């Protein structure tokens, strides 16, 4: 079968399509015949090695979420799964391939009315946004700033915050056109990447996908008791001394936290994934798909992500 491998860390030219043996599902696993693959910002972060490189060695298959039909199951898995259409988190096993392995606990049956392309746009991003807002204890009537709102994670945070009754949902983005699209999805105020623009003076919650050198300036935007939740570092790590900004405003009782899905219990994560797909069927959340490309165009998809030209998500089809 065909798979994409990252042969060299760094720019997307290190990605290649290769022939590899078909995998066999092991204990507790599903083998999924892939119809759609979500291309996520985190795939690029891992490819560039922005945050270390984790346990990845050259030759790994990027991608972490797929949708398709279960073709085979491993020992211990109910054979009734065979033939079901599912969304599945593949984790480090990779998703840019024709046949993917996933633990049965990490698969969600696709609800009627939801396509594979839509599912891989929402299945991971929405839970991150949902739990990040909960981590920030967003309450109805409070104000939110979503920093880096043009990606699938930020778009989900905007839609969820608006539905949760936030009084203001501000976003940072790099263009007026993106700002207009984010307004259609629930944003009430559009700011530039530095946070300049016509928005509230202070925010109760900041959901931050960006991190990077400008992060401390956004800590200054927190209202008293405001909560900054860092969920991504698309602009790299913040300066090492960023915490001094919180200490300088000690009397404002602000807080900073990171949030990772890795800390969510598996059952809660499964429920959030299933709910995300159901919410899409109900029309409460929208799959914003920039483009659907062939598997062979994986490097091109990453080039577009690196160039910042993706609004929402690119999806690959094998
Ligand atoms: N916490 C978790 O559990 C979890 C789970 C999955 C993924 N993640 C993280 O989430 C991130 C990916 O999310 P995503 O796919 O939604 O993001 P993304 O699409 O990669 O980036 C979001 C937006 O940030 C803006 N941006 C990019 N570079 C920037 C810069 N240098 N300065 C300011 N803004 C910049 C861009 O919008 P504009 O051009 O419009 O400004 C971009 O569309 C990764 O860092 C990944 O590690 C976290």
């Amino acid at each position: 079968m065909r798979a994409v491998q990252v042969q060299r860390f760094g720019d997307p030219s290190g990605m290649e399509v290769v022939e590899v043996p078909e995998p066999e599902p092991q204990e507790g696993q599903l083998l999924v015949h892939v119809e759609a693959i979500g291309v996520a910002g985190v795939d690029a972060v891992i490819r560039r090695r922005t945050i270390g490189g984790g346990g990845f060695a050259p030759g790994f298959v990027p991608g972490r979420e797929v949708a398709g039909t279960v073709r085979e199951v491993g020992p211990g898995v109910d054979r009734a799964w065979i033939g079901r259409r599912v969304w599945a988190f593949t984790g480090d096993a990779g998703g840019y391939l024709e046949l993917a392995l996933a633990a049965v606990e990490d698969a969600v049956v696709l609800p009627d009315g939801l396509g594979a392309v839509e599912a891989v746009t929402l299945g991971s991003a929405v839970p991150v946004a949902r739990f990040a807002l909960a981590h920030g204890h967003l309450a109805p009537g409070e104000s939110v700033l979503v920093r880096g709102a043009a990606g699938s994670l930020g778009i989900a945070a905007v839609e969820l915050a608006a539905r949760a009754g936030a009084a203001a949902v501000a976003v940072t983005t790099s263009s007026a056109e993106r700002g207009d699209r984010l307004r259609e999805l629930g944003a009430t105020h559009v700011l530039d990447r530095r946070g300049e623009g016509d928005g509230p003076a202070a925010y109760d919650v900041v959901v931050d996908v960006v991190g990077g050198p400008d992060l401390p300036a956004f800590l200054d935007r927190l209202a008293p008791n405001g909560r900054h939740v860092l969920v991504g570092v698309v602009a790299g790590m913040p300066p090492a001394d960023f915490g001094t900004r919180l200490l300088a405003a000690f009397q404002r009782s602000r807080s900073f936290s990171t949030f990772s899905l890795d800390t969510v219990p598996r059952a809660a994560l499964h429920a959030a994934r299933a709910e995300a797909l159901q919410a899409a069927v109900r029309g409460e959340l929208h799959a914003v798909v920039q483009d659907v490309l062939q598997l062979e165009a994986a490097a091109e998809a990453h080039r577009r992500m690196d160039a910042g030209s993706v609004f929402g998500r690119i999806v690959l089809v094998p």
Side-chain angles (χ1 to χ4, degrees):
M1 67 162 181
R2 288 170 303 135
V4 174
Q5 290 182 344
V6 173
Q7 306 284 8
R8 266 179 296 104
F9 288 99
D11 67 66
S13 67
M15 298 166 72
E16 278 176 31
V17 180
V18 295
E19 277 293 325
V20 296
E22 292 192 2
E24 275 195 22
Q26 304 299 308
E27 179 93 25
Q29 287 185 324
L30 306 175
L31 181 68
V32 181
H33 185 250
V34 175
E35 291 169 33
I37 303 154
V39 179
V42 67
D43 304 346
V45 167
I46 293 169
R47 191 209 74 231
R48 291 183 212 120
R49 272 200 151 147
T50 312
I51 45 172
F56 296 98
F60 78 93
V61 176
R64 307 173 80 71
E65 68 182 300
V66 300
T69 304
V70 177
R71 197 171 94 170
E72 193 47 82
V73 298
V77 180
D78 188 345
R79 292 188 66 77
W81 277 92
I82 296 172
R84 286 183 186 159
R85 298 193 70 232
V86 296
W87 172 94
F89 177 75
T90 63
D92 294 354
Y96 291 14
L97 30 65
E98 288 181 284
L99 293 167
L101 293 172
V104 66
E105 294 92 344
D106 291 334
V108 177
V109 175
L110 287 188
D112 288 343
L114 191 72
V117 169
E118 288 73 27
V120 297
T121 308
L122 300 165
S124 274
V126 173
V128 179
R130 185 181 292 281
F131 286 115
L133 289 167
H135 203 69
H137 301 286
L138 176 68
E142 290 193 323
S143 57
V144 185
L145 170 63
V146 180
R147 190 171 172 232
S152 52
L153 220 149
I155 288 170
V158 167
E159 288 205 282
L160 289 169
R163 288 207 151 257
V169 183
V171 293
T172 70
T173 188
S174 58
S175 79
E177 188 212 333
R178 288 182 171 191
D180 289 344
R181 296 189 65 187
L182 288 162
R183 280 185 201 278
E184 287 165 18
L185 292 159
T188 55
H189 299 82
V190 176
L191 313 176
D192 67 17
R193 281 184 170 191
R194 299 187 67 82
E196 304 300 332
D198 181 23
Y203 298 93
D204 297 299
V205 177
V206 174
V207 173
D208 187 352
V209 182
V210 178
D214 294 337
L215 182 144
F218 286 86
L219 296 175
D220 294 342
R221 301 293 191 89
L222 289 174
N225 296 303
R227 291 86 67 192
H228 190 119
V229 183
L230 184 69
V231 294
V233 288
V234 294
M237 288 295 177
D241 63 350
F242 76 90
T244 56
R245 278 305 238 277
L246 286 175
L247 292 173
F250 196 95
Q251 287 79 3
R252 292 185 158 244
S253 308
R254 294 164 167 162
S255 54
F256 171 87
S257 64
T258 56
F259 170 74
S260 169
L261 271 191
D262 291 357
T263 59
V264 177
R266 213 170 195 177
L269 190 50
H270 188 275
R273 289 163 169 166
E275 165 54 22
L277 302 185
Q278 293 289 351
V281 175
R282 295 194 298 270
E284 295 170 11
L285 294 171
H286 296 90
V288 179
V289 181
Q290 160 111 12
D291 218 341
V292 179
L293 303 176
Q294 296 295 311
L295 185 66
E296 284 70 16
E300 169 61 16
H302 275 234
R303 267 181 218 107
R304 292 190 199 176
M305 281 203 294
D306 286 3
S309 64
V310 180
F311 183 84
R313 191 162 269 206
I314 292 181
V315 174
L316 298 174
V317 292

